[in-house]
Amino acid sequence: MEYSLQTQTMQFLLSGLLGVGLGLHYDILRVIRHMHRRLTALLDGWFWLCALLASLALALYGGGGRLHIFMFVGIGLGMAAYFLGPGVLIRRLLEKGFGIAHRILGWAFDTFKKFFKKAFSKGKKSVKMLTKHQNCVIIKRDHFKRSDVECLIV
């Protein structure tokens, strides 16, 4: 079965667009991988799984069920165009954006960690206090245990 030149051109352009998308996906994973070196193998496996599934989807929907050799060339040229063109600028923006998000989330995590460390530390003695809360008086509170509560009827 032969394909017209117009169909092959469209398939080649779609494969080039897929190459640009895979390049962007690789850059996002590259930034994450540089921040967390232990995830390198996992993120590389994720990229190749996504590349495989995207290539199969291209073959199924864009290629009429066939994966032609020129589609691999298109994917490679699309990735090369991305990496040599806007990829450098986009990667720098991603590094700055992920760096800011990493610092903000790290600060929030450290804040919550300090709060919960103080709230649930094992070294604290049981607190005896009398507080009124909706007509109930808390007599003794132990961490990780039930509080003894007496309710007053007014």
Side-chain angles (χ1 to χ4, degrees), residues 1-123:
M1 179 145 95
E2 297 207 12
Y3 292 102
S4 68
L5 185 60
Q6 181 182 6
T7 304
Q8 290 179 4
T9 304
M10 185 59 79
Q11 291 171 348
F12 183 75
L13 292 175
L14 280 174
S15 62
L17 187 63
L18 176 63
V20 171
L22 287 174
L24 177 64
H25 184 67
Y26 184 80
D27 268 350
I28 291 170
L29 294 178
R30 180 191 296 186
V31 171
I32 296 171
R33 188 174 60 232
H34 283 217
M35 294 170 73
H36 304 285
R37 299 238 182 236
R38 291 177 292 192
L39 297 176
T40 299
L42 181 69
L43 294 175
D44 284 346
W46 174 254
F47 172 77
W48 286 111
L49 179 67
C50 290
L52 174 70
L53 293 176
S55 299
L56 291 177
L58 175 69
L60 186 62
Y61 297 112
R66 293 184 177 183
L67 190 60
H68 302 283
I69 292 176
F70 66 84
M71 290 181 175
F72 288 115
V73 173
I75 291 171
L77 288 175
M79 286 185 78
Y82 171 78
F83 286 130
L84 295 174
V88 176
L89 176 65
I90 291 174
R91 186 172 51 248
R92 286 183 186 157
L93 291 173
L94 286 171
E95 286 171 354
K96 288 187 187 286
F98 274 99
I100 291 169
H102 189 262
R103 276 187 248 127
I104 290 172
L105 290 175
W107 173 80
F109 179 74
D110 287 343
T111 304
F112 285 123
K113 185 177 167 183
K114 287 177 187 176
F115 172 75
F116 285 115
K117 198 176 211 182
K118 285 182 182 179
F120 297 109
S121 66
K122 293 180 182 179

